[in-house]
């Protein structure tokens, strides 16, 4: 089994050894160090890179300190809801135990400013005791803006153990892709390659009905993470033609399958399977501990859309991680009316703009 190969545009080159990621200077690096040291599962949505991405849009980003007796920094994202007021959103927070929730809630209430409500999404596996603690502190269940189920692999265990943990179908498809002449690996985030990636995503969107953000938004995210050496673009090519692509974001010990797309006129090539294997090899070489492959439908809902996605990703690791539900804390009268009507609000926003509100 060959290891990941680098690809410049569509021309394979020899692999190059990983180089240490450059540190961002000043307050950005200081913030990231604090998050990485205090969050149990540091997420890129709490990084200075994501802060910079979101500040360029309709969200106002505030750095807060939610610890009580220990450090617990978090980015809070604020946005005005027409006719209601300001909602504050804390996405992908981690490092909370049941005993932390009461003090955390007190800090949220004390520092909410003019927000009519606060929404928090905890990036930790489902924990019934933690859910009960949020309920006891006055938080209500609400609609999650981020995926709740994912397949996660551990690249740091090495290629041999990664392969052993896969289903036999995945290993066979990786070998088939190699026999078919597919080459996969990291590519430069050039203008040409960004355009190729967007084309792959749009074809996937048209074919599957999946939702993707606008091209401008995707390119802004990719560029920000690449500039901070926290993200890379990967292509799978066949006979000089790009047939699959993925953008992978990194922060601390974790990487995420952020965006992806593929052509489907030659599914027998198994290019997407080899592409993901190549990404895992590359992440293993750089010491990444976890690779979150992103959304899959709940295994307990056999009729949910996206079953093909679940089947594809579970071939890499059979266990599906269920993350914590989202929670909502009302601060003003009428806030719960918005919580109950959020689904309709988001659907109407998407119909009018073609974009996602969060």
């Amino acid at each position: 089994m060959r290891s990941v190969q680098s690809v410049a545009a569509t021309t394979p080159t020899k692999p190059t050894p990983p180089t240490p990621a450059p540190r961002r200077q000043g307050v950005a690096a200081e913030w990231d160090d604090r998050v990485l040291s205090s969050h149990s599962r540091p997420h890129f949505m709490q990084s200075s890179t994501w802060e910079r991405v979101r500040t360029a849009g309709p969200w106002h980003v505030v750095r807060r300190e939610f610890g009580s007796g220990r450090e617990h920094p978090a980015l809070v994202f604020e946005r005005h809801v027409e006719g209601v007021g300001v909602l504050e959103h804390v996405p992908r927070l981690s490092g909370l135990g049941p005993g932390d929730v009461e003090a955390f809630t007190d800090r949220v209430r004390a520092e909410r400013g003019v927000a009519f409500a606060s929404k928090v999404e905890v990036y930790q596996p489902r924990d019934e005791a933690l859910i009960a603690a949020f309920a006891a502190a006055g938080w209500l269940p609400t609609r999650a803006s981020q995926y709740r189920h994912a397949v996660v692999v551990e690249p740091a265990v090495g290629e041999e153990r990664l392969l052993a943990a896969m289903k036999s179908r995945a290993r066979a498809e990786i070998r088939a892709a190699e026999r078919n002449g597919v080459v996969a690996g990291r590519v430069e985030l050039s203008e040409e390659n960004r355009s190729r990636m967007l084309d792959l995503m749009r074809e996937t969107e048209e074919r599957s009905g999946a939702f993707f953000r606008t091209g401008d938004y995707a390119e802004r995210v990719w560029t920000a993470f690449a500039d901070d050496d926290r993200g890379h673009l990967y292509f799978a090519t066949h006979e000089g033609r790009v047939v699959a692509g993925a953008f992978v974001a990194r922060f601390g010990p974790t990487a995420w399958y952020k965006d992806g797309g593929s052509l489907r006129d030659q599914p027998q090539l198994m290019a997407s399977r080899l592409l993901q294997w190549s990404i895992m090899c590359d992440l293993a070489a750089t010491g990444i501990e976890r690779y979150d492959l992103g959304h899959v439908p709940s295994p307990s809902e056999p009729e949910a859309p996206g079953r093909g996605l679940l089947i594809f990703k579970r071939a890499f690791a059979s266990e599906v991680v269920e993350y914590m539900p989202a929670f909502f804390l009302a601060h003003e009268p009428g806030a719960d009316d918005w919580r109950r009507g959020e689904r309709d609000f988001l659907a109407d926003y998407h119909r009018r703009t073609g974009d996602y509100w969060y």
Side-chain angles (χ1 to χ4, degrees):
M1 189 72 63
R2 78 168 167 263
S3 298
V4 61
Q5 290 181 311
S6 298
V7 181
T10 59
T11 305
T13 61
K14 292 183 179 180
T16 56
T19 56
R23 292 179 57 83
R24 299 193 68 212
Q25 299 300 311
V27 294
E30 179 184 0
W31 174 262
D32 293 330
D33 286 344
R34 292 178 62 205
V35 170
L36 290 168
S37 65
S38 59
H39 288 220
S40 57
R41 289 178 177 242
H43 195 279
F44 70 79
M45 286 187 174
Q46 288 294 322
S47 71
S48 64
T49 308
W50 192 249
E51 177 184 28
R52 192 168 74 257
V53 168
R54 299 301 267 179
T55 300
W59 292 87
H60 176 61
V61 188
V62 182
R63 295 181 178 186
R64 296 267 178 83
E65 173 56 63
F66 287 128
S68 178
R70 65 180 178 86
E71 185 178 50
H72 203 162
L75 294 177
V76 178
F77 300 82
E78 301 175 335
R79 185 169 181 179
H80 185 261
V81 181
E82 188 68 31
V84 184
V86 173
L87 175 73
E88 64 174 21
H89 182 216
V90 188
R92 297 314 203 192
L93 183 69
S94 67
L96 285 174
D100 301 315
V101 175
E102 183 177 358
F104 169 77
T105 305
D106 290 342
R107 292 294 293 267
V108 170
R109 286 196 174 108
E111 300 182 17
R112 54 101 173 182
V114 299
F116 71 86
S118 301
K119 180 173 184 172
V120 63
E121 301 186 56
V122 180
Y123 188 62
Q124 297 171 202
R126 184 182 180 94
D127 179 339
E128 297 302 330
L130 186 55
I131 293 172
F134 270 98
W139 295 80
L140 297 172
T142 193
R143 179 182 176 86
S145 73
Q146 305 301 315
Y147 56 83
R148 293 279 317 286
H149 297 85
V151 171
V152 180
V153 299
E154 299 179 348
V157 302
E159 295 181 19
E160 185 175 343
R161 290 178 62 184
L162 276 173
L163 281 170
M166 293 180 191
K167 292 184 178 179
S168 58
R169 183 183 73 250
R171 294 192 294 270
E173 289 177 355
I174 290 169
R175 291 191 290 269
E178 293 181 321
R179 289 195 302 271
N180 290 331
V182 177
V183 177
R186 192 190 293 186
V187 301
E188 179 187 358
L189 191 68
S190 64
E191 181 178 355
E192 180 183 7
N193 285 341
R194 293 198 306 270
S195 179
R196 290 169 187 253
M197 182 62 181
L198 289 173
D199 288 343
L200 291 170
M201 290 167 58
R202 296 307 166 219
E203 175 156 338
T204 302
E205 184 176 36
E206 292 174 6
R207 180 180 71 242
S208 67
F211 171 72
F212 291 88
R213 302 296 292 259
T214 66
D216 288 346
Y217 178 86
E219 289 196 73
R220 189 165 76 244
V221 172
W222 301 340
T223 300
F225 277 84
D227 285 349
D228 291 350
D229 199 32
R230 287 180 173 159
H232 297 288
L233 182 62
Y234 298 83
F235 279 164
T237 66
H238 180 254
E239 297 180 350
R241 181 189 184 206
V242 178
V243 292
F247 186 84
V248 176
R250 295 184 291 123
F251 182 53
T254 307
W256 293 264
Y257 177 33
K258 182 71 181 64
D259 296 303
S262 65
L263 305 180
R264 293 300 293 170
D265 59 342
Q266 292 182 286
Q268 76 283 357
L269 291 177
M270 304 299 174
S272 293
R273 186 70 74 188
L274 181 62
L275 176 64
Q276 288 297 334
W277 168 242
S278 299
I279 291 169
M280 293 174 196
C281 293
D282 193 38
L283 296 176
T286 57
I288 291 294
E289 297 173 10
R290 291 184 301 274
Y291 177 37
D292 187 327
L293 284 159
H295 167 73
V296 294
S298 170
S300 64
E301 300 177 14
E303 301 305 317
R307 300 304 294 180
L309 197 62
L310 177 63
I311 292 170
F312 176 80
K313 292 181 180 180
R314 285 187 79 174
F316 291 116
S318 59
E319 182 180 354
V320 174
V321 177
E322 179 181 3
Y323 293 114
M324 289 284 291
F327 300 102
F328 182 92
L329 187 66
H331 303 306
E332 300 287 349
D336 199 48
D337 292 338
W338 188 87
R339 179 183 71 93
R340 290 193 295 267
E342 183 184 17
R343 180 186 296 272
D344 291 338
F345 171 85
L346 296 178
D348 179 66
Y349 182 85
H350 180 63
R351 280 194 299 269
R352 289 187 291 105
T353 67
D355 204 358
Y356 187 47
W357 192 76
Y358 278 100

